Amino acid sequence: HDLDAQTAERSTSSTSGSSSSSAGSASSSSAFNASGVDAEYNKETWSLIGQLVRGHSSDVYALAWSPSGRYIVTGSTDTSVLIWNVSSSRLVQRIDGHTHFVQGLAWDPLGELIASESSDRTCRIFAPTKHKHPGEVEKINKRTYHCARSIRELALTDVQENSGQISSRRKLFMDESTPTFFRRLAWSIDGNLLITVAGQFYEENHDVPHPTAYVFSRHDFSQPLLSLAGPEDAVIGIRFHPRLWKLQETSEKPLFDLPYRMVFAMATLSSVLVYDTQHTRPICLVKGIHYAAITDLAWSTKSVSLLVTSS
């Protein structure tokens, strides 16, 4: 599926002239095989600007930048979530509440909410605590976060002909036996949706769950908007492409009533699926590309390239 007109234009230009394609290939090849002066020029240089120490007592499994880039939130196997000031490398706040490893974190692109996922089978939503004095200017160093919502179960009500209504509760997330160290949940780039991973979905009258990812609205975390169909094994990560796309012309009713669509990739232990917010089914499925379990994925900011890593 073409993602938009720009993708189609790129495809057309690549097939219209083999010479330009060859030139691009040669340029790319020379960049990777550069030697001498060119190799030195292409080399990236990184410098250490700070160290976040004296916070966690065990391994860090997850981190996320604030939208401003001034703060980092980290999660650890010590079950804590810490917020750090990057410029000063100082700890701003420690948030406790999880009872097992914190394996995923995502900072709301609107700068308000922080979401975490843990192998304790919960997703927690952290929100700023309101100031006692309304006129006080909010600064993150003075702001404290609290757990506004803990997402764990879904209440189900079955209606039967003879016995009436039977209510039950189902765990939304897989337990700590899931063979992954990561639960990389993600916010949509407009901040309206949160997609959680390591989900499990029960079909009606079935006790064996299917792997899934749940989509929540930022305005209501009491229950998911929907579960995503497609994954065959545990979902470990979601990554949104960092731009908005034009809606496709189709007779199918869009999944979300938006004037644009957002594209995101889902990583399971063994496959990658690509979805958009206009369709209910994945628009792409890739599997068998790694010999070991997939660990993460990332979009290029200037193209539709997707990088996938494994253990």
Side-chain angles (χ1 to χ4, degrees):
H1 290 67
D2 292 335
L3 293 178
D4 66 358
Q6 188 178 28
T7 306
E9 182 180 346
R10 186 185 305 112
S11 176
T12 303
S13 63
S14 66
T15 56
S16 62
S18 59
S19 59
S20 61
S21 176
S22 300
S25 176
S27 174
S28 174
S29 176
S30 62
F32 282 103
N33 298 313
S35 59
V37 176
D38 289 337
E40 191 64 27
Y41 178 79
N42 289 330
K43 188 181 298 182
E44 281 190 348
T45 302
W46 291 75
S47 59
L48 180 67
I49 63 171
Q51 290 180 298
L52 309 181
V53 297
R54 297 181 181 177
H56 293 294
S57 60
S58 191
D59 296 340
V60 174
Y61 271 15
L63 63 83
W65 288 85
S66 68
S68 67
R70 297 172 57 196
Y71 302 93
I72 288 179
V73 58
T74 58
S76 168
T77 56
D78 65 10
T79 73
S80 68
V81 173
L82 305 183
I83 301 175
W84 304 81
N85 183 305
V86 175
S87 60
S88 66
S89 299
R90 295 183 62 180
L91 178 63
V92 175
Q93 184 184 354
R94 177 187 180 97
I95 308 174
D96 293 307
H98 281 297
T99 58
H100 214 278
F101 302 161
V102 179
Q103 297 180 313
L105 288 165
W107 205 313
D108 164 26
L110 303 183
E112 182 180 356
L113 305 175
I114 299 172
S116 66
E117 260 199 78
S118 166
S119 48
D120 65 7
R121 308 181 79 174
T122 67
C123 170
R124 290 177 177 263
I125 308 298
F126 302 106
T129 303
K130 293 183 178 180
H131 289 278
K132 295 181 180 179
H133 306 289
E136 185 178 350
V137 178
E138 279 200 351
K139 295 182 179 179
I140 196 167
N141 282 352
K142 295 182 179 180
R143 176 191 296 178
T144 57
Y145 278 80
H146 70 282
C147 181
R149 186 84 191 190
S150 179
I151 306 170
R152 178 188 296 270
E153 297 173 324
L154 180 65
L156 301 176
T157 302
D158 298 328
V159 179
Q160 296 186 0
E161 187 173 342
N162 297 325
S163 55
Q165 295 185 347
I166 299 177
S167 297
S168 62
R169 307 188 73 85
R170 296 284 196 181
K171 298 285 188 183
L172 286 174
F173 305 109
M174 297 177 176
D175 60 24
E176 69 275 7
S177 66
T178 307
T180 179
F181 293 113
F182 312 110
R183 302 186 184 216
R184 305 188 192 278
L185 71 172
W187 294 92
S188 61
I189 59 174
D190 64 359
N192 285 320
L193 303 174
L194 174 68
I195 303 183
T196 61
V197 299
Q200 54 182 18
F201 172 77
Y202 290 87
E203 292 184 359
E204 188 177 355
N205 300 323
H206 286 76
D207 293 329
V208 179
H210 300 284
T212 190
Y214 287 106
V215 182
F216 290 87
S217 166
R218 72 173 292 119
H219 305 293
D220 183 11
F221 293 104
S222 62
Q223 61 180 4
L225 295 173
L226 58 95
S227 62
L228 295 173
E232 297 178 353
D233 51 7
V235 180
I236 62 98
I238 299 289
R239 291 288 186 257
F240 275 84
H241 191 277
R243 58 166 289 188
L244 301 176
W245 301 85
K246 296 177 182 178
L247 290 173
Q248 290 182 329
E249 294 184 5
T250 175
S251 59
E252 182 182 352
K253 183 179 179 180
L255 185 59
F256 294 99
D257 186 16
L258 298 170
Y260 49 80
R261 63 194 179 110
M262 294 176 286
V263 174
F264 59 93
M266 170 197 290
T268 75
L269 291 171
S270 63
S271 62
V272 175
L273 301 92
V274 180
Y275 296 78
D276 67 9
T277 53
Q278 187 177 359
H279 302 90
T280 57
R281 291 282 178 177
I283 58 178
C284 177
L285 167 63
V286 182
K287 58 195 307 186
I289 56 175
H290 285 280
Y291 291 109
I294 294 174
T295 57
D296 204 356
L297 65 175
W299 289 99
S300 166
T301 57
K302 296 182 179 180
S303 69
V304 289
S305 299
L306 181 65
L307 178 68
V308 183
T309 61
S310 76
S311 55

